């Protein structure tokens, strides 16, 4: 598999290439749906010495630039992923908290077409499926 290369992504978004940015983008790419604490652990395990605040700042910059998607699941801390632009959904295990991606059920972002938009201009829809993951349902 081709190794993940964060630098062209940063350049493509007109962002300066810095070690913390490369480390955070790479960490999220290899751990989809990671929360901030585990991103910090991954970055530090890669011997990049950054403060918590620096990681928070990098996450904000990368999200604003459209390189990361922030996921706010009800009852969960913010999580980040690098799979972007397809409006995919998530399934969450009630028991262990495992999270997986679920593609849109039909076509492109079908849930954007609300049955009644209540006068809002809707640009995002998020469906959260809940249940038990295979590990928990057999336990
Ligand atoms: Zn589970
Ligand atoms: Zn996802």
């Amino acid at each position: 598999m081709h190794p993940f290369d964060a630098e062209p992504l940063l350049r493509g978004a007109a962002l300066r290439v810095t070690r913390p940015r490369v480390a955070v983008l790479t960490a999220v790419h290899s751990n989809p749906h990671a929360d901030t604490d585990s991103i910090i652990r991954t970055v530090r395990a890669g011997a990049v010495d950054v403060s918590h605040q620096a990681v928070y700042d990098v996450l904000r910059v990368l999200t604003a630039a459209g390189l990361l998607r922030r996921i706010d699941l009800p009852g969960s801390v913010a999580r980040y992923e690098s799979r972007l632009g397809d409006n995919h959904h998530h399934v969450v295990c009630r028991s262990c908290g495992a999270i997986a991606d679920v593609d849109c059920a039909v076509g492109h972002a079908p849930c954007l077409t609300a049955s009644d938009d209540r006068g809002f201009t809707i640009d995002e829809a998020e469906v959260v499926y809940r249940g038990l993951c295979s590990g928990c349902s057999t336990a």
Side-chain angles (χ1 to χ4, degrees):
M1 214 175 94
H2 193 73
F4 178 71
D5 190 356
E7 294 195 22
L9 293 173
L10 290 167
R11 289 206 190 85
L15 290 176
R16 209 154 42 83
V17 175
T18 65
R19 277 194 81 194
R21 285 174 179 172
V22 169
V24 168
L25 199 50
T26 306
V28 175
H29 181 80
S30 55
N31 306 285
H33 316 126
D35 62 19
T36 307
D37 284 347
S38 64
I39 293 168
I40 290 169
R41 276 197 302 276
T42 305
V43 166
R44 289 186 173 162
V48 178
D49 187 24
V50 285
S51 66
H52 281 234
Q53 189 57 49
V55 171
Y56 280 103
D57 289 346
V58 168
L59 286 169
R60 207 183 50 238
V61 166
L62 296 180
T63 302
L67 294 180
L68 292 181
R69 175 183 175 195
R70 177 182 159 135
I71 320 160
D72 290 295
L73 297 171
S76 167
V77 297
R79 294 168 180 279
Y80 295 86
E81 66 185 344
S82 57
R83 182 179 162 182
L84 301 163
D86 62 357
N87 197 63
H88 70 268
H89 307 306
H90 294 102
V91 58
V92 183
C93 177
R94 272 185 218 289
S95 178
C96 71
I99 300 175
D101 287 338
V102 178
D103 288 341
C104 269
V106 187
H108 181 253
C111 308
L112 287 176
T113 309
S115 55
D116 179 352
D117 65 15
R118 299 291 190 164
F120 285 56
T121 301
I122 297 172
D123 62 15
E124 187 180 352
E126 185 157 338
V127 175
V128 180
Y129 302 93
R130 291 185 189 277
L132 289 176
C133 73
S134 58
C136 290
S137 60
T138 54

